[in-house]
Amino acid sequence: MSENQIKFVDLDLNENLLSALNSMGFETPTPIQAASIPFLLEGKDALGKAQTGTGKTAAFSLPVLNKIDLGQHKPQAIVMAPTRELAIQVAAEIKTLGQKIKGLKVIEIYGGASIVDQMRALKNGSHIVVGTPGRVKDLINRRTLHLDEVKTFVLDEADEMLKMGFVDDVTWIMEQAPESAQRVLFSATMPPMVKTIVDRFLRNPARVDVAGENRTVAKVEQQYWVVKGVEKDEAMTRLLETEDTDASIVFVRTRQDTERLSDWLSARGFKSAALHGDIPQAQRERTVDNIKRGVIDILVATDVVARGLDVPRITHVFNYDIPFDTESYIHRIGRTGRAGRTGKAVLLVRTNQIRMLRTIERVTKSSMEEIQLPNRDKVAEARLVKLSAELEAEKSNSSIANFAELIEKLQASLEVDAATLAAILLQRQQGKRPLFYTGPDPMIEAIERDNKRRKERRENPRDGGRDGGRSFGGTKQDWDTYQLQVGRDSGVQVKDIVGALANELGLTKHSIGAIKLAQGHTFVQLPKAMTSEVAGKLKKLRIRQKEVGAVVCDFDDFRESRGPRSGGPRRDGGGFRGRGGEGHRGRREGGSGNGERRFDRNRGPKPAGKPAPRGNREG
């Protein structure tokens, strides 16, 4: 029987689960479910490779629920997830799948919430525990979470969990697992850290690799806009006002940007809130509840904190900053197009980020449509339509009559007619969102310039420029050298410099030039063509809690100062450069006689070993 003919009734699931699946309208398992469930029901260890949106939560949850002994009140399954939000979502899905199992107890445990309440819940008995590694380890150490009756351990999104720095916690927890316990690991990718866990703890696992089309991507309409003419803040207002949205998530890279952009949108009348890892858990839960209830319409969020966020109202995902990798992009757009609905994702991309966009298209086997921002007149028209609808709704308000007398008094005191008074009131009403614009629209000018350049390239193909801005790999004239007032004596490493420039300034690997790290300072090449937004962030940049005080200087000696290494002389001839690989991963080199370390983008592949830094840790 082929996979596409299998139905849930063909699997060895009990009647309670089949009844719940039927009531939810599910008859046919997804490929990852059809392939995994038989192995897991047999009790085999399993390694599942599947991206988000493929139904992997049900793939491991249904076999766990199928084996639950309601008479045993110690945990029988431990599911570990990388973030609080994902742990909450997984627990909610397990409860939904187990809705027909009377007396089932599923408990979520995670940091940021009361550990006393979680200890009390465990003491009262539980069948399945879903948690983050740090809190799971803590409660095991407190002898509140007992593992002696655990039959199944599940690591969900293992690659993300280990990438966030939980490798020691996960290893320790797995070491505490009973020898007889089934071990199940699901991951979208298989980096070396995940393979190490698999080789050490999984015993001859069944391997399930679902490489088919990702359901999340298929359900989401994807578009991109190349940043030109206006800054991204202005672009966001144009998109939010002209797209037919219900609720939206705007993804940015840094925690600071969540607050800044949310405040900027709120000041312009949008119902917006920030969501990031520094916000207390109780406030985060209130924020999520507010968007579910319609109190707010826009979340400005970082990647990790929004994983697992499931809000049916979300119709649009806006990628204000392009993600560092394809998996993050898939997770982002998976916040819309939920529960069988379609969604829309819009990516704001700078010209030097086009290559990453093409990588996303290639890996997701999808094609994004390039769009142009609506011009200002279109935005003003949308505002007028919205105002008309609001006024229409107020026409029948019984309190309007009370204001009629005020109109007459104001006309008399100001000596103006009714039309002029109405115009004055409309002007006050518009606030920072004008109902019409004067002067030329910079977007139209940018589009005309772009069209002219494209035409010139077609007519003069030998001039050959690439579609998308200046390349920062070539000439000295493209760079300014900045001196940063942090160095090795501050405990700073090259990876800290690269990570800060990438995460806090939003620079890509092509926009970070040579780096020379010395004892009390660092020299770094940054593009001359930085936007005012990025330059402003550079002035406020902090590394390891210390202000860097970046200033332009004349330093240009990025040459290698060491003698040749064994195996022949060096040929790359330069100082530190951001590598051409994925992300912003520095390559550390041995110290020279003057205590410097260098980073070279143009060297070959990074040797196996210590994993690269991944930017901000959250969750």
Side-chain angles (χ1 to χ4, degrees):
M1 181 177 287
S2 64
E3 276 189 1
N4 62 355
Q5 294 174 316
I6 291 177
K7 296 185 181 298
F8 281 115
V9 294
D10 300 318
L11 302 173
D12 193 18
L13 298 173
N14 64 46
E15 287 300 321
N16 286 328
L17 296 178
L18 292 174
S19 175
L21 289 165
N22 185 60
S23 66
M24 295 160 66
F26 296 133
E27 295 183 359
T28 305
T30 66
I32 189 68
Q33 293 163 1
S36 303
I37 289 174
F39 291 125
L40 298 182
L41 288 174
E42 291 176 19
K44 290 184 177 180
D45 288 6
L47 171 61
K49 185 177 180 183
Q51 294 177 335
T52 185
T54 54
K56 56 185 172 61
T57 303
F60 63 74
S61 299
L62 289 168
V64 165
L65 290 166
N66 202 69
K67 296 183 285 186
I68 287 296
D69 177 5
L70 293 174
Q72 172 55 258
H73 297 294
K74 286 185 178 180
Q76 295 163 54
I78 305 289
V79 180
M80 286 189 286
T83 68
R84 304 156 179 156
E85 287 70 27
L86 188 58
I88 292 169
Q89 180 190 334
V90 169
E93 186 161 346
I94 293 174
K95 291 173 186 177
T96 302
L97 292 169
Q99 60 187 277
K100 305 289 185 179
I101 304 175
K102 293 184 178 180
L104 175 69
K105 288 187 177 180
V106 181
I107 294 177
E108 312 97 284
I109 57 174
Y110 46 82
S114 169
I115 195 169
V116 175
D117 291 344
Q118 293 172 1
M119 293 171 67
R120 186 181 300 114
L122 289 169
K123 186 176 181 180
N124 291 335
S126 62
H127 300 111
I128 300 172
V129 171
V130 185
T132 51
R135 183 53 61 92
V136 169
K137 180 180 178 181
D138 194 355
L139 289 169
I140 293 172
N141 277 326
R142 291 172 183 245
R143 299 183 180 179
T144 306
L145 176 56
H146 302 287
L147 305 183
D148 49 307
E149 296 296 333
V150 172
K151 304 296 190 295
T152 306
F153 272 83
V154 179
L155 301 184
D156 189 19
E157 297 204 10
D159 52 348
E160 193 64 30
M161 200 176 324
L162 301 181
K163 190 166 42 176
M164 290 171 59
F166 290 124
V167 61
D168 292 337
D169 289 347
V170 169
T171 301
W172 185 89
I173 292 166
M174 296 299 286
E175 287 172 347
Q176 316 306 311
E179 284 295 320
S180 59
Q182 179 184 35
R183 291 90 185 269
V184 181
L185 185 149
F186 278 89
S187 186
T189 58
M190 290 294 158
M193 283 189 296
V194 173
K195 291 178 181 176
T196 300
I197 294 290
V198 170
D199 293 342
R200 180 174 176 185
F201 293 107
L202 272 64
R203 300 153 302 193
N204 191 26
R207 295 175 183 263
V208 179
D209 187 347
V210 178
E213 182 181 3
N214 187 284
R215 295 187 305 154
T216 297
V217 175
K219 292 187 296 183
V220 179
E221 179 186 358
Q222 300 171 75
Q223 299 177 333
Y224 71 94
W225 171 67
V226 180
V227 179
K228 55 180 178 281
V230 299
E231 291 293 331
K232 291 196 288 185
D233 289 358
E234 166 69 13
M236 281 307 312
T237 63
R238 295 194 186 197
L239 290 168
L240 287 166
E241 292 194 67
T242 54
E243 288 283 335
D244 185 16
T245 65
D246 184 0
S248 308
I249 299 184
V250 181
F251 281 103
V252 297
R253 279 191 183 152
T254 70
R255 303 172 186 186
Q256 293 89 338
D257 275 347
T258 63
E259 301 281 0
R260 183 198 61 77
L261 183 57
S262 179
D263 290 345
W264 196 87
L265 292 172
S266 296
R268 282 150 184 81
F270 295 98
K271 294 188 290 184
S272 173
L275 195 66
H276 59 75
D278 282 348
I279 295 175
Q281 181 64 22
Q283 183 180 340
R284 286 160 69 171
E285 291 174 359
R286 282 197 303 273
T287 299
V288 173
D289 184 58
N290 283 341
I291 197 167
K292 288 180 177 179
R293 295 188 295 112
V295 176
I296 60 175
D297 295 327
I298 302 166
L299 284 180
V300 184
T302 51
D303 280 301
V304 173
V305 79
R307 281 182 183 261
L309 189 66
D310 189 2
V311 179
R313 284 188 65 219
I314 294 172
T315 56
H316 286 64
V317 166
F318 295 98
N319 294 280
Y320 181 93
D321 293 319
I322 193 169
F324 286 127
D325 53 65
T326 304
E327 286 305 313
S328 294
Y329 176 79
I330 294 171
H331 277 283
R332 287 181 178 189
I333 69 173
R335 299 312 100 207
T336 186
R338 317 278 297 176
R341 292 180 291 273
T342 58
K344 192 171 190 179
V346 180
L347 173 64
L348 277 57
V349 58
R350 298 195 182 278
T351 51
N352 59 358
Q353 299 168 338
I354 295 293
R355 183 178 295 179
M356 183 61 196
L357 181 146
R358 300 306 177 205
T359 299
I360 291 171
E361 288 183 314
R362 185 179 69 254
V363 173
T364 59
K365 298 180 175 63
S366 60
S367 178
M368 296 191 210
E369 174 195 3
E370 182 176 2
I371 61 171
Q372 297 294 347
L373 286 185
N375 61 42
R376 294 196 304 192
D377 290 341
K378 195 76 174 175
V379 176
E381 182 181 321
R383 291 174 180 173
L384 189 57
V385 169
K386 181 181 178 183
L387 177 60
S388 297
E390 292 171 352
L391 295 176
E392 177 71 26
E394 291 294 325
K395 281 198 312 187
S396 57
N397 192 318
S398 59
S399 64
I400 287 180
N402 297 330
F403 290 89
E405 294 181 11
L406 286 179
I407 294 293
E408 295 177 2
K409 290 180 180 179
L410 286 171
Q411 280 184 254
S413 63
L414 297 175
E415 298 181 351
V416 295
D417 56 27
T420 303
L421 179 58
I424 294 170
L425 295 174
L426 276 177
Q427 186 179 36
R428 288 175 57 86
Q429 166 71 23
Q430 69 179 355
K432 291 186 178 181
R433 296 165 73 177
L435 295 171
F436 60 88
Y437 290 93
T438 58
D441 184 349
M443 265 308 303
I444 294 176
E445 294 178 11
I447 292 170
E448 289 175 350
R449 287 196 303 269
D450 193 43
N451 290 338
K452 182 179 179 181
R453 281 196 297 266
R454 289 172 188 252
K455 181 180 179 183
E456 288 174 350
R457 279 196 292 268
R458 286 194 299 269
E459 294 174 351
N460 304 289
R462 293 197 174 195
D463 292 344
R466 282 176 303 171
D467 233 357
R470 160 190 273 180
S471 172
F472 294 107
T475 66
K476 181 178 177 180
Q477 286 72 27
D478 290 331
W479 305 94
D480 279 329
T481 298
Y482 287 82
Q483 181 174 339
L484 312 183
Q485 308 310 314
V486 292
R488 294 185 64 206
D489 58 3
S490 304
V492 170
Q493 301 178 35
V494 169
K495 66 181 181 181
D496 300 316
I497 304 292
V498 176
L501 295 173
N503 296 327
E504 305 304 326
L505 273 63
L507 295 179
T508 68
K509 59 180 178 291
H510 300 298
S511 299
I512 302 174
I515 298 175
K516 191 166 187 177
L517 183 64
Q519 195 66 22
H521 55 267
T522 300
F523 296 106
V524 57
Q525 287 181 325
L526 297 176
K528 290 180 182 291
M530 284 194 298
T531 66
S532 57
E533 175 188 358
V534 174
K537 291 179 182 178
L538 179 60
K539 291 180 181 178
K540 302 175 183 177
L541 184 65
R542 299 175 71 89
I543 298 177
R544 288 186 176 265
Q545 308 304 316
K546 185 175 179 180
E547 290 187 7
V548 304
V551 293
V552 176
C553 64
D554 295 329
F555 180 86
D556 64 357
D557 184 14
F558 289 97
R559 296 170 298 171
E560 184 69 67
S561 61
R562 293 190 285 116
R565 299 174 68 180
S566 59
R570 299 186 52 96
R571 295 183 178 271
D572 52 294
F576 285 76
R577 297 264 181 182
R579 288 197 301 116
E582 292 276 347
H584 300 271
R585 305 175 185 177
R587 174 174 167 179
R588 289 178 53 182
E589 299 291 338
S592 63
N594 62 359
E596 296 172 351
R597 291 180 175 177
R598 291 180 170 78
F599 173 80
D600 194 337
R601 173 169 65 201
N602 300 314
R603 294 176 188 161
K606 180 177 179 178
K610 187 175 179 180
R614 299 293 300 185
N616 286 352
R617 271 186 61 183
E618 297 200 27

